[in-house]
């Protein structure tokens, strides 16, 4: 990328771009780089690996935590145009837990080193304000998921996940294993298998190897209730 295209692309991600000083703009342009992650690649493995700020150009990233039992629990997904702050955890004292990032699809990002972004938010009040807003939004997502885990029944959470996944993939025939669904919901594969077989017996889904087809979306929606985002 040349400097003009870099500046234009960074301006698209950062609404505060025009309020930055010219030296800070030049420093960000000088240090930004493109990184590509094939699907299923681990991108970030917690606070011990302070990667830096990731600006998603294309693809999809899954953010998750590990439960005490060693199970995965999906917190949120990131798509084209999104910004990942948690991968720059060393910049923010408020992040005291480990988040893991994996590329769900072939993904391309713009990468800004953590020390460069730290300098940016220390020098620019608009940048700091926008970053705090993004951080608050991220924590809100995390708290919503944890509330679901603590207070909602698994059948409602599973129904909500299937509906949201169907909307995301734009199909009612989902290519998902029971293990993958368990990883998203922080549960065990055996639990998901029992729950999905129950859903099938109720006419809500049809199960085949590696696939879950939604056959009664209104029924799943009623079951999900307030577990839908």
């Amino acid at each position: 990328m040349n400097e003009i295209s870099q500046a234009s692309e960074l301006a698209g991600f950062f609404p505060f771009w025009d309020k930055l000083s010219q030296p800070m703009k030049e420093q960000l342009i000088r240090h930004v780089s493109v990184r590509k992650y094939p699907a299923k690649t681990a991108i970030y493995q917690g606070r011990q690996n302070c990667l830096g700020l990731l600006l998603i150009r294309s693809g999809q990233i899954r953010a998750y935590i590990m439960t005490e039992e060693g199970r995965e629990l999906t917190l949120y997904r990131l798509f084209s145009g999104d910004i990942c702050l948690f991968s720059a955890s060393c910049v923010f004292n408020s992040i005291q837990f480990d988040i893991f990032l994996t590329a769900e699809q072939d993904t391309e990002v713009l990468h800004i080193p953590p020390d460069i972004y730290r300098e940016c938010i220390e020098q620019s009040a608009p940048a700091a304000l926008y970053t705090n807003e993004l951080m608050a939004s991220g924590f809100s997502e995390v708290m919503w998921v944890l509330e679901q885990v603590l207070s909602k029944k698994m059948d409602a959470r599973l129904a909500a996940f299937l509906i949201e996944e169907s909307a995301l993939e734009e199909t009612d025939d989902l290519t998902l294993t029971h293990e993958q669904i368990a990883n998203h919901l922080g549960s065990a594969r055996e639990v998901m298998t029992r729950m999905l077989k129950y859903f099938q017996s109720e006419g809500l889904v049809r199960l085949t190897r590696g696939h879950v087809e939604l056959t009664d979306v209104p029924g799943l929606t009623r079951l999900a209730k307030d577990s839908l985002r």
Side-chain angles (χ1 to χ4, degrees):
M1 294 190 298
N2 59 45
E3 289 192 2
I4 294 176
S5 64
Q6 285 176 322
S8 176
E9 193 163 9
L10 288 172
F13 279 102
F14 296 144
F16 54 81
W17 180 258
D18 290 339
K19 298 179 181 179
L20 293 176
S21 67
Q22 189 59 34
M24 179 51 65
K25 289 180 180 179
E26 292 172 358
Q27 177 154 286
L28 287 168
I29 290 170
R30 189 163 56 250
H31 287 91
V32 69
S33 61
V34 176
R35 295 191 177 188
K36 298 181 179 181
Y37 299 98
K40 308 307 177 185
T41 299
I43 297 174
Y44 181 68
Q45 298 293 315
R47 286 172 294 168
Q48 74 277 9
N49 171 30
C50 190
L51 179 61
L53 201 70
L54 300 181
L55 315 178
I56 317 303
R57 282 177 128 188
S58 62
Q60 181 184 145
I61 292 175
R62 171 183 172 236
Y64 62 97
I65 59 174
M66 300 293 293
T67 69
E68 292 184 359
E69 296 80 16
R71 295 171 183 158
E72 298 176 7
L73 174 63
T74 297
L75 298 176
Y76 54 83
R77 317 281 185 91
L78 294 165
F79 305 95
S80 176
D82 287 337
I83 298 175
C84 183
L85 289 176
F86 289 114
S87 54
S89 57
C90 59
V91 177
F92 311 104
N93 294 328
S94 56
I95 301 178
Q96 298 297 323
F97 54 94
D98 285 325
I99 286 184
F100 301 83
L101 302 174
T102 298
E104 290 281 272
Q105 303 172 358
D106 290 345
T107 299
E108 185 172 284
V109 306
L110 295 179
H111 170 260
I112 298 176
D115 56 329
I116 300 301
Y117 196 70
R118 180 190 291 112
E119 186 175 344
C120 177
I121 60 177
E122 287 175 350
Q123 292 186 11
S124 170
L129 177 61
Y130 181 70
T131 300
N132 287 336
E133 291 173 351
L134 281 182
M135 185 65 67
S137 176
F139 277 125
S140 178
E141 287 284 324
V142 172
M143 294 308 298
W144 189 90
V145 171
L146 294 180
E147 179 187 6
Q148 292 295 308
V149 172
L150 294 173
S151 63
K152 305 299 179 182
K153 292 182 178 180
M154 181 57 75
D155 58 353
R157 292 179 57 217
L158 175 56
F161 169 77
L162 293 175
I163 293 169
E164 291 169 357
E165 196 72 11
S166 175
L168 182 64
E169 298 296 332
E170 299 182 339
T171 178
D172 288 339
D173 188 3
L174 304 176
T175 305
L176 284 170
T177 67
H178 298 187
E179 182 73 27
Q180 288 173 317
I181 297 172
N183 285 341
H184 280 291
L185 296 177
S187 185
R189 180 185 57 79
E190 295 80 5
V191 174
M192 289 300 100
T193 297
R194 288 196 300 270
M195 192 69 67
L196 287 166
K197 286 182 177 178
Y198 167 71
F199 279 15
Q200 180 169 252
S201 71
E202 293 294 305
L204 298 172
V205 302
R206 181 181 296 111
L207 304 176
T208 53
R209 187 175 181 84
H211 288 261
V212 179
E213 182 183 356
L214 279 58
T215 53
D216 184 1
V217 173
L220 287 168
T221 302
R222 288 192 296 271
L223 181 60
K225 296 179 180 178
D226 56 354
S227 288
L228 283 169
R229 302 191 196 215

